[in-house]
Amino acid sequence: MRNKMPMAPVTVVAALAISLLASPAQSFASPAPQADPAAQTARQPLERQVLAQDDGWASLEAGTTGGSAATDERIYDVATRAELLAALASGTQPKIIRVHGDIAANTSTDGSPISCEDYAAGTGFSLSQYLHDFDPVRYGTTKAPAGPQESARRLAASRQAATIRWDIPSNTTVVGAGPDSSITGAALRINGGENVIFRNLTVRDAADCFPSWDPTDGATGNWNSEYDLLQIINGSKHVWVDHAHFTDAPNLDSTQPSYFGRPYQVHDGAVDVTNGSDLVTMSYNRFSEHDKLLLIGSTDSTNRGDAGKLRVTIHHNVVENVGQRAPRVRYGQVDVYNNHFITGPTSAIPYGYTLGAGVESHIRAEANAFTLPPEIPVGSLIGYFKGKVITTSGNAVNGKTVDLRTAYNAAAPADRQLGTDDTWAPVLRTHVNAAQAVPALLADAVGPVFTAGEVH
């Protein structure tokens, strides 16, 4: 871990992107004051910035300031796994972590790579033997795997978890030092933490070496993987995720084999907010090439502390070639506005749905743009998961304003109809643009675009 050092000023590309953010094309509703990254950058470096007032649920109460108040000795420049872990372990006093280049999670303390075979070495795990032992024809379909191979799989999995699962503590800002900064293979968590800012980083491919087979999951069983790219869990609150890129590429699940007739899926969620977490804003991110994207809410049960929590704002993000959960919600009040959802005609990710209405969910999806191929019907943009209500207004599909809820209800059976949610109305919003303006507004303005460092 290196000492704090001066960095280059904001790049021309970043400045252009910032100007797009600061110049919305058209007002859609009576907006809260527009968050102005350009103005912040002119006054202070990226790593010292805080979430703007009224910018989503994370701005409620005292707002979200991350490690912006860090003293100079608590600014860490990191370029290796060891340096990053040391910075993360340096307590909960305000700190700033600037990530340089790519940090690979599946590496040893000396930086050498660790393969799936390395994790399995000495455990007795063999995928071929696991497949033999739990073949449904031989093992059946009514009970979860148990026995030597399942025990060995769990041991090998625990070795990978100990290597790649990293917790971001309270009062921390983690930023990419430049637009090419990234973290590969890590399962990042904000676990019971508060006041965290995560910005300007690409996070990719948290692949599980040892997915588990569950023959009782669904009608024909499923492979389940363990890791999300970023988990916000266990009562975490005041989290701002901004200008990041979350993706499985280039290691897509579509390239994996199928076993027992089911895809051998090695990725789980992108960003999940569960177990009573609250007050989260996700803005100007790019989400691409991923299946299960954003899960908000743990289970249908109330025993995880989700009821009354899970207040999340998702605005001005680009969601491209994603299969489902964008988001899927239980219990929470989730504000989804001014995002661009794109499914390409040749997407390698099978499309399921975009907005998942789960138990006691309260989704407000407004002024979003959807770019879809003709084979995806508008009625499939909403998925039913025991929800009762959803509010959709001002959304556009391929440039045409469409009432998503009406389209869904027209295709749904009588016992899965969704009413309009009149229990709440979002007020913590930046400028809201007409849905038709969103694709152009966000075209070059999401994901990592900034350069960190002192103002010059």
Side-chain angles (χ1 to χ4, degrees), residues 21-388:
L21 300 184
S23 304
Q26 179 180 352
S27 177
F28 174 77
S30 299
Q34 167 78 337
D36 190 350
Q40 284 210 46
T41 301
R43 295 192 303 269
Q44 57 190 332
L46 174 69
E47 57 267 45
R48 296 281 185 188
Q49 293 173 20
V50 303
L51 180 63
Q53 182 179 359
D54 296 328
D55 190 351
W57 279 117
S59 68
L60 197 66
E61 300 169 348
T64 300
T65 59
S68 60
T71 56
D72 285 351
E73 63 271 16
R74 290 187 61 78
I75 301 176
Y76 303 93
D77 287 282
V78 302
T80 67
R81 174 180 176 272
E83 291 175 348
L84 177 54
L85 293 185
L88 292 172
S90 64
T92 59
Q93 292 300 308
K95 65 172 161 295
I96 292 166
I97 301 174
R98 299 190 294 215
V99 176
H100 297 258
D102 179 63
I103 295 180
N106 288 287
T107 55
S108 62
T109 54
D110 64 4
S112 57
I114 302 175
S115 67
C116 294
E117 292 75 18
D118 293 332
Y119 289 124
T123 66
F125 176 77
S126 161
L127 179 58
S128 61
Q129 187 63 49
Y130 188 90
L131 294 173
H132 175 273
D133 289 358
F134 301 116
D135 187 327
V137 174
R138 178 177 296 103
Y139 187 76
T141 61
T142 61
K143 57 182 179 179
Q149 273 301 302
E150 173 60 12
S151 296
R153 186 199 67 79
R154 290 174 179 268
L155 177 57
S158 70
R159 291 180 174 181
Q160 185 183 21
T163 303
I164 72 169
R165 183 170 276 158
W166 306 341
D167 285 355
I168 302 171
S170 299
N171 306 314
T172 298
T173 293
V174 181
V175 298
D180 296 327
S181 297
S182 57
I183 297 174
T184 299
L188 300 169
R189 301 193 304 184
I190 303 169
N191 183 7
E194 299 185 16
N195 193 31
V196 173
I197 294 174
F198 188 92
R199 301 182 77 192
N200 207 51
L201 273 163
T202 294
V203 188
R204 65 170 69 90
D205 189 22
D208 187 346
C209 285
F210 311 100
S212 61
W213 170 246
D214 183 355
T216 70
D217 183 358
T220 58
N222 273 306
W223 292 95
N224 294 307
S225 53
E226 179 65 22
Y227 307 115
D228 302 325
L229 290 166
L230 176 63
Q231 285 184 311
I232 302 171
I233 57 174
N234 296 332
S236 295
K237 63 180 182 178
H238 288 293
V239 177
W240 181 30
V241 182
D242 177 75
H243 278 95
H245 182 194
F246 297 90
T247 183
D248 293 343
N251 182 30
L252 303 184
D253 281 333
S254 59
T255 66
Q256 302 297 325
S258 292
Y259 298 121
F260 310 148
R262 300 299 297 159
Y264 190 67
Q265 192 171 60
V266 298
H267 300 101
D268 195 15
V271 181
D272 284 5
V273 183
T274 59
N275 294 2
S277 297
D278 201 15
L279 304 179
V280 176
T281 297
M282 304 182 203
S283 56
Y284 295 98
N285 300 291
R286 179 177 296 279
F287 299 98
S288 70
E289 314 301 332
H290 190 93
D291 182 21
K292 304 172 184 175
L293 194 69
L294 308 173
L295 177 65
I296 300 174
S298 312
T299 72
D300 290 353
S301 170
T302 59
N303 63 5
R304 299 287 188 90
D306 287 339
K309 304 292 182 61
L310 305 177
R311 290 173 289 178
V312 179
T313 301
I314 301 166
H315 76 84
H316 292 95
N317 303 282
V318 169
V319 179
E320 186 168 13
N321 294 336
V322 163
Q324 56 185 308
R325 302 184 182 180
R328 176 180 171 180
V329 180
R330 300 177 175 100
Y331 295 103
Q333 292 179 330
V334 180
D335 188 14
V336 183
Y337 75 92
N338 273 180
N339 303 284
H340 188 194
F341 299 93
I342 307 166
T343 299
T346 60
S347 173
I349 312 298
Y351 181 78
Y353 66 91
T354 299
L355 306 168
V359 170
E360 295 296 326
S361 62
H362 297 277
I363 301 172
R364 299 284 296 233
E366 299 179 0
N368 299 288
F370 295 81
T371 300
L372 305 175
E375 62 268 21
I376 296 179
V378 175
S380 69
L381 295 177
I382 296 174
Y384 176 84
F385 298 95
K386 304 178 186 178
K388 300 298 183 184

